[in-house]
């Protein structure tokens, strides 16, 4: 049974085609044949052909394999590096929170459930970048994070920070 892919919007399809073309041009600049690149990437020549055409059914792993063969795999670091939309959403939520006299604070996304506390590694990075030995006791580790300026919060508190809409209070 053939896998189905989600339909892409036309501008996104165009981006995928352009990406495939750039990979094709990178292959041609290196004077490599499609057969050579397909063999080195461990794929069928037809998969490479579909990739260079920007077909949406080609897996991300295939793209990465071809990028690795061409020596441009580090370009993956550039994908979604600057999340402008996410930053704007976060800033708008923080502005709404500050307008409700909520003081923005630094948040640590480390879970502090009992199970997660047992997963604390023996070494951790401090803000200065120097490794520091953490105590085996989880309570001390939590105190250490707080003393370094990090504040652990629950999932509900994080949700409240991200969505400051007032919630009805239970009668009581």
């Amino acid at each position: 049974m053939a896998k189905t892919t989600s339909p892409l919007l036309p501008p996104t399809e165009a981006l995928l085609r352009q990406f495939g073309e750039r990979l094709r041009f990178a292959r041609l600049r290196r004077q490599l044949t499609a057969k050579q690149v397909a063999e080195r990437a461990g794929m069928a020549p037809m998969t490479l052909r579909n990739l260079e055409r920007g077909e949406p059914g080609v897996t991300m792993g295939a793209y990465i394999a071809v990028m690795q063969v061409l020596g441009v795999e580090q370009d993956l670091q550039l994908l979604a590096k600057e999340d402008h939309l996410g930053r704007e959403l976060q800033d708008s939520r923080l502005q709404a929170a500050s307008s409700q006299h909520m003081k923005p604070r630094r948040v640590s996304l480390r879970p502090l459930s009992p199970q997660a506390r047992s997963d604390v590694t023996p070494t951790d990075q401090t803000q200065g970048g120097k490794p520091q030995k953490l105590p085996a006791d989880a309570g001390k580790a939590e105190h250490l994070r707080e003393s370094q300026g990090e504040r652990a919060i629950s999932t509900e508190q994080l949700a409240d920070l991200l969505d400051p809409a007032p919630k009805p209070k239970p009668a009581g």
Side-chain angles (χ1 to χ4, degrees), residues 103-145:
K103 182 178 167 185
R105 57 185 174 226
R106 185 173 173 192
V107 177
S108 172
L109 297 179
R110 294 182 188 189
L112 292 177
S113 67
Q115 180 183 4
R117 287 181 183 168
S118 67
D119 293 341
V120 174
T121 57
T123 60
D124 195 4
Q125 295 292 325
T126 63
Q127 289 178 349
K130 297 179 182 176
Q132 177 178 345
K133 187 81 170 168
L134 290 179
D137 179 66
K140 289 182 182 177
E142 181 179 342
H143 175 72
L144 178 61
R145 281 193 299 273

Side-chain angles (χ1 to χ4, degrees), residues 19-54:
F19 182 48
E21 287 175 14
R22 285 194 300 271
L23 290 177
R24 180 175 171 268
F25 288 133
R27 174 179 63 80
L28 294 173
R29 282 186 209 107
R30 287 158 180 76
Q31 299 179 351
L32 295 170
T33 66
K35 184 177 179 182
Q36 289 172 322
V37 172
E39 285 175 359
R40 293 176 187 178
M43 66 181 62
M46 184 61 140
T47 303
L48 179 63
R49 196 171 306 124
N50 288 337
L51 180 146
E52 289 182 348
R53 289 181 184 161

Side-chain angles (χ1 to χ4, degrees), residues 12-113:
T12 307
E13 284 181 343
L15 285 173
L16 195 54
R17 276 193 309 276
Q18 292 167 1
F19 182 48
E21 287 175 14
R22 285 194 300 271
L23 290 177
R24 180 175 171 268
F25 288 133
R27 174 179 63 80
L28 294 173
R29 282 186 209 107
R30 287 158 180 76
Q31 299 179 351
L32 295 170
T33 66
K35 184 177 179 182
Q36 289 172 322
V37 172
E39 285 175 359
R40 293 176 187 178
M43 66 181 62
M46 184 61 140
T47 303
L48 179 63
R49 196 171 306 124
N50 288 337
L51 180 146
E52 289 182 348
R53 289 181 184 161
E55 295 291 330
V58 179
T59 67
M60 187 69 179
Y63 280 96
I64 294 170
V66 169
M67 290 175 72
Q68 183 175 312
V69 169
L70 299 174
V72 294
E73 71 276 4
Q74 290 302 314
D75 289 354
L76 280 173
Q77 297 293 332
L78 302 175
L79 297 178
K81 184 176 181 179
E82 297 295 326
D83 182 12
H84 297 289
L85 176 62
R87 186 67 68 186
E88 287 178 23
L89 289 169
Q90 181 184 26
D91 290 349
S92 69
R93 289 178 184 138
L94 290 175
Q95 288 171 354
S98 66
S99 70
Q100 294 176 358
H101 304 291
M102 287 183 61
K103 182 178 167 185
R105 57 185 174 226
R106 185 173 173 192
V107 177
S108 172
L109 297 179
R110 294 182 188 189
L112 292 177
S113 67

